[in-house]
Amino acid sequence: MDRFLQLHLLTVYPPSNLNRDDLGRPKTAILGGKQRLRISSQSLKRAWRTSDVFKQALSNGTKEEIPLSEEFMEGLGNPDLSPHLGVRTKDIGIAIYNVLIARGVNEKNAQTWAKTIAEKFGDAESEDKLKKDKEDEYKPLKHLQLKQPNLFSMDELAQMDQLSQRLAKEKRPPTDDELGVLRDDHRMVDIAMFGRMLAHKNNYIREEAAVQVAHAVTVHEVQIENDFFTAVDDLNLSAKTGKPGEDAGAAFVGDFEFGAGLFYLYVCVDREDLLLNLQDDRDLWERSLRALTKATATVAPTGKQNSFASRAIANFILAERGNTSPRSLTAAFLKPVGAGDPLHDAIEVLRTTRINMNKVYGINEATIEVNANTGEGSFDALLKFVVAEGGTNQ
Amino acid sequence: MTDYLLFLLYAPMASWGDIAVDERRPTADHPTKSAVFGMIAAALGLQRNQEVEQRHLADSFGFAARLDAPGVFLHDYHTSQRPSGKSMRGLLTRRDELAREHKKLVTKLSYREYRCDVLTTICLWRRVEAASSYSLDDISKALQSPKYTLYLGRKACPLGLPLRPVQTRAVTLADAFASKEALLLIRRAMEAFDLGSTQATNYEEIAAQLGKHLSTARPVRAFWEGSPHEGFELIHSVERRDQIDSRASWQFRTRLEHEGIWKAPSAPQLQKRDADS
């Protein structure tokens, strides 16, 4: 198998996605002696790891769909399940409660058990607070509702429905192990790709994360003065097209009014290590690689979870697969990309640097491109590429 | 005469981990033996819990570094959130951990230092009393086709150039760095960066081209261990705590490191457009 998968992305991120340091200034780095905006590795990882895109892509399993019980569906408010993308809801606790009550569990237990399960996925209101606010009179089950809606995949809904039915039949609360199984696949992928979680007791022996994410930097220079920043060379990139906006030509001073930054992202996956960490589950491995690819291409770091608002689509993706020592192509931007057509120029210099570098070092590996700017290449072809075994140039 | 293995490390961001107290995670301004040997161990496929092999590896080889471009200091404010409270321990994914109200999340701060625009030539030699079963050749092959992902100090610091080590024989370390093979290493980098023609014939000419983008400060500093008389102009010798003792408990021993100035030979060593070995 080609061990390493390398993803190189050129993405325009709007100013709302910039990382800030403890003084509120946008994070920066020096590249080729010139200052660039920087989005930290940790913020990218967090955004991708916790995103809906990642979760949904991971959950599109090949398992047969188990139909949900009537009581469960009612508790969720009878949502439309046909898109098979899962359900975004606060009412998971109510759905579980419904199933338990309908199968003869007493009121107190039904509420307690439902809450135990629901709270694994988010904070629910506290009963005491609701009583204090007298909300419990109008909405007696509000303490089973999550404060924030969360996304649940079809698999997860089915598992919770089945679990609830089993608990009702056996007349007992859920065990820790049972709760653990609820997101088994996702948890395995989470840890295998990104490493252990912080409050988590590590049940896995291996702890090396299979995914490496570099700090992302702008391909162009920026200057930051006194908490404001100006676009050097009159770069004022439209967040949509990556081309200079209408105001290009006017030096632009302002905080959040700065045009977008064109960032170079680099991700390297040790695919063999990932397969090992996923206990040789090939299907899960494929899903995880596709999920990661989708997330890197479409999820912007926001700091807000479950936010649909901020999406950024990568303008250009170049992927490589092989066994030689992986390397980022940041060197392509040692000389900052200037005004004019920064996206076009960045793509060109990234391409030629790669070809040149490979020629100098005698490297010949499988590669694929997706160019949203010109419409060349296809994302589907990329998704096939990232899971292909390797050995031939596909 | 000694056999030497040389390779070039270039990274847009690197971190040469120094002694860290609490949330301050500093970097040294030049490569640590620990960072480089950690990387070599990863290339060889050594696991973190292979204590003996890890220690033997670092003990069996001498280490020297020439700072072709020392880089620029960078300071990163790094925040990490986790849910507070014991009940949060059984949480299933990172997404679940963070699906909490803001006030229920505890933030851990760290201040991590990096070096940007780093270019350094590393030189290794096998010690006489070496216990490790790996040879310079093994290391060279492993670096070219590593078993684990490589990085310089922190995982978020990938390499910016592929590794293509060279071997040479020389009397002193300074001679090893002045060899034609070592020069080819750095000229290849320049060609890969497409920063100048292949008309350069010696180190100074190459450095001049590189210096347009990376800070190739003068004089060129070198760091090495062993005899202080290795052909450099010795500045001083410092005890440095970067020799791995226990990988599992993350403990390091000290070693004596010399710092000096390396003078590049002025005579032309390469023909223009020289073929690569």
Side-chain angles (χ1 to χ4, degrees):
Chain A
M1 181 198 303
D2 285 340
R3 177 183 284 276
F4 298 111
L5 170 69
Q6 299 182 83
L7 299 175
H8 309 268
L9 301 96
L10 288 169
T11 308
V12 177
Y13 288 123
S16 53
N17 293 140
L18 301 183
N19 277 181
R20 301 208 166 237
D21 65 14
D22 42 348
L23 298 175
R25 293 174 309 199
K27 287 192 176 182
T28 59
I30 299 288
L31 175 64
K34 301 284 196 288
Q35 188 168 68
R36 319 294 173 106
L37 288 176
R38 173 173 63 92
I39 294 182
S40 67
S41 160
Q42 61 267 19
S43 105
L44 289 169
K45 280 195 292 258
R46 175 185 166 138
W48 297 339
R49 188 177 183 179
T50 59
S51 68
D52 283 354
V53 168
F54 188 74
K55 178 172 178 156
Q56 261 168 0
L58 200 58
S59 305
N60 290 343
T62 51
K63 298 182 193 152
E64 259 183 56
E65 259 182 43
I66 305 168
L68 300 172
S69 68
E70 231 183 83
E71 299 86 42
F72 195 83
M73 283 290 279
E74 223 187 278
L76 293 179
N78 287 313
D80 177 15
L81 298 176
S82 50
H84 299 288
L85 292 176
V87 173
R88 191 165 195 77
T89 181
K90 287 194 214 179
D91 296 335
I92 197 73
I94 295 176
I96 296 166
Y97 165 87
N98 266 14
V99 172
L100 295 171
I101 286 284
R103 283 161 176 72
V105 176
N106 71 50
E107 187 68 34
K108 183 165 179 281
N109 281 342
Q111 287 191 23
T112 309
W113 302 351
K115 191 161 170 127
T116 305
I117 299 172
E119 282 196 310
K120 288 292 179 195
F121 307 109
D123 287 333
E125 294 287 2
S126 83
E127 267 183 89
D128 294 333
K129 184 177 181 294
L130 289 171
K131 281 195 175 110
K132 219 173 96 183
D133 298 342
K134 304 225 169 131
E135 279 200 56
D136 59 327
E137 292 168 12
Y138 298 100
K139 296 178 188 170
L141 296 177
K142 193 166 163 92
H143 67 284
L144 297 181
Q145 270 193 329
L146 297 176
K147 283 185 186 162
Q148 294 291 335
N150 205 336
L151 177 70
F152 296 93
S153 70
M154 297 308 302
D155 283 348
E156 283 169 340
L157 295 174
Q159 277 179 324
M160 281 191 271
D161 189 8
Q162 296 294 307
L163 173 64
S164 310
Q165 292 179 35
R166 189 162 62 245
L167 296 180
K169 191 162 162 216
E170 296 172 17
K171 294 184 172 43
R172 58 168 181 82
T175 62
D176 279 340
D177 284 343
E178 279 171 331
L179 291 173
V181 160
L182 289 179
R183 284 217 209 277
D184 221 18
D185 277 1
H186 194 153
R187 177 167 63 168
M188 276 183 74
V189 170
D190 198 3
I191 294 173
M193 282 193 143
F194 300 109
R196 68 181 180 88
M197 302 181 299
L198 296 182
H200 175 73
K201 211 167 49 168
N202 198 349
N203 295 324
Y204 298 89
I205 303 163
R206 299 180 56 93
E207 43 174 285
E208 187 65 34
V211 176
Q212 173 186 49
V213 178
H215 294 263
V217 290
T218 51
V219 304
H220 53 82
E221 188 183 353
V222 284
Q223 271 177 13
I224 299 186
E225 298 157 17
N226 303 325
D227 286 340
F228 296 121
F229 38 106
T230 60
V232 173
D233 288 335
D234 300 326
L235 278 176
N236 177 2
L237 303 176
S238 151
K240 208 169 160 191
T241 64
K243 291 188 164 61
E246 276 181 289
D247 292 88
F252 212 92
V253 181
D255 200 343
F256 290 99
E257 282 105 20
F258 175 69
L262 177 57
F263 287 85
Y264 166 70
L265 280 72
Y266 174 77
V267 177
C268 179
V269 186
D270 181 341
R271 299 193 315 163
E272 276 191 38
D273 201 35
L274 181 63
L275 186 59
L276 194 71
N277 287 353
L278 295 179
Q279 289 159 20
D280 279 333
D281 184 340
R282 193 89 191 192
D283 176 65
L284 186 57
W285 178 82
E286 288 192 5
R287 277 187 280 143
S288 65
L289 286 170
R290 285 194 288 255
L292 176 69
T293 306
K294 282 187 183 153
T296 59
T298 61
V299 174
T302 59
K304 283 186 200 162
Q305 209 186 328
N306 303 330
S307 168
F308 282 131
S310 211
R311 290 270 186 123
I313 312 293
N315 298 91
F316 179 78
I317 308 172
L318 188 156
E320 300 174 287
R321 245 181 21 221
N323 293 299
T324 51
S325 52
R327 46 86 190 97
S328 75
L329 291 171
T330 323
F333 310 109
L334 279 172
K335 185 170 168 239
V337 167
D341 196 347
L343 180 55
H344 172 267
D345 293 346
I347 293 170
E348 276 318 298
V349 75
L350 183 65
R351 272 201 180 127
T352 54
T353 300
R354 186 193 153 263
I355 290 168
N356 187 45
M357 202 185 273
N358 280 3
K359 184 171 127 223
V360 169
Y361 285 91
I363 296 170
N364 183 17
E365 292 185 343
T367 181
I368 195 170
E369 288 180 13
V370 183
N371 191 339
N373 206 31
T374 60
E376 290 163 32
S378 95
F379 200 75
D380 279 338
L382 174 64
L383 292 178
K384 288 202 176 73
F385 179 90
V386 303
V387 300
E389 184 77 12
T392 55
N393 201 335
Q394 297 181 25
Chain B
M1 289 285 251
T2 312
D3 286 313
Y4 293 101
L5 181 74
L6 297 125
F7 53 92
L8 190 66
L9 294 177
Y10 161 69
M13 284 171 67
S15 184
W16 312 120
D18 210 340
I19 295 171
V21 178
D22 276 348
E23 66 266 2
R24 302 234 161 241
R25 318 278 175 88
T27 179
D29 71 345
H30 63 281
T32 53
K33 188 168 183 182
S34 44
V36 176
F37 272 82
M39 189 189 79
I40 293 171
L44 288 166
L46 288 182
Q47 308 249 0
R48 288 167 192 235
N49 59 9
Q50 287 179 269
E51 284 269 283
V52 178
E53 289 89 335
Q54 296 262 6
R55 198 172 343 119
H56 280 173
L57 182 69
D59 287 349
S60 299
F61 294 92
F63 170 77
R66 180 185 67 198
L67 274 188
D68 304 299
V72 178
F73 177 79
L74 172 74
H75 173 249
D76 185 40
Y77 173 68
H78 185 130
T79 59
S80 254
Q81 288 184 309
R82 64 170 174 81
S84 62
K86 285 190 189 150
S87 61
M88 298 289 113
R89 282 224 191 98
L91 289 178
L92 304 169
T93 63
R94 183 77 178 126
R95 186 192 156 94
D96 296 330
E97 278 194 338
L98 295 175
R100 306 290 139 192
E101 273 187 298
H102 200 75
K103 64 185 183 204
K104 287 204 184 150
L105 292 174
V106 168
T107 303
K108 188 175 161 79
L109 299 180
S110 54
Y111 300 89
R112 303 180 190 212
E113 299 181 353
Y114 295 85
R115 306 286 305 180
C116 298
D117 276 351
V118 170
L119 188 71
T120 174
T121 305
I122 305 293
C123 183
L124 307 179
W125 62 97
R126 196 173 161 85
R127 287 188 164 140
V128 172
E129 68 281 6
S132 175
S133 54
Y134 294 108
S135 66
L136 288 177
D137 216 41
D138 293 329
I139 293 177
S140 178
K141 290 200 171 78
L143 290 176
Q144 293 179 71
S145 201
K147 295 286 172 295
Y148 287 115
T149 313
L150 305 180
Y151 49 86
L152 294 187
R154 295 199 177 104
K155 196 151 182 155
C157 301
L159 301 173
L161 278 177
L163 292 168
R164 189 58 58 81
V166 294
Q167 296 199 39
T168 192
R169 281 178 70 82
V171 176
T172 65
L173 269 170
D175 288 341
F177 281 117
S179 66
K180 186 175 168 189
E181 290 81 8
L183 192 59
L184 280 172
L185 272 181
I186 200 164
R187 192 169 82 168
R188 193 160 48 196
M190 200 181 75
E191 285 176 39
F193 293 159
D194 198 24
L195 290 181
S197 72
T198 49
Q199 302 303 299
T201 61
N202 64 17
Y203 184 87
E204 285 305 326
E205 284 173 20
I206 292 172
Q209 289 289 346
L210 278 171
K212 290 177 186 167
H213 297 277
L214 301 177
S215 168
T216 49
R218 286 289 170 276
V220 181
R221 290 152 71 213
F223 302 85
W224 72 99
E225 53 183 357
S227 159
H229 311 293
E230 284 284 347
F232 304 102
E233 192 185 307
L234 181 70
I235 298 174
H236 59 195
S237 306
V238 172
E239 238 188 24
R240 215 180 173 196
R241 192 171 286 279
D242 66 350
Q243 178 91 15
I244 191 72
D245 199 29
S246 161
R247 182 66 184 76
S249 47
W250 207 228
Q251 284 174 321
F252 300 84
R253 293 197 317 268
T254 56
R255 63 184 183 103
L256 191 66
E257 186 182 67
H258 310 295
E259 180 178 344
I261 295 169
W262 179 78
K263 287 252 159 50
S266 47
Q269 291 177 271
L270 296 175
Q271 284 175 13
K272 301 186 180 187
R273 291 185 181 282
D274 202 351
D276 236 333
S277 49

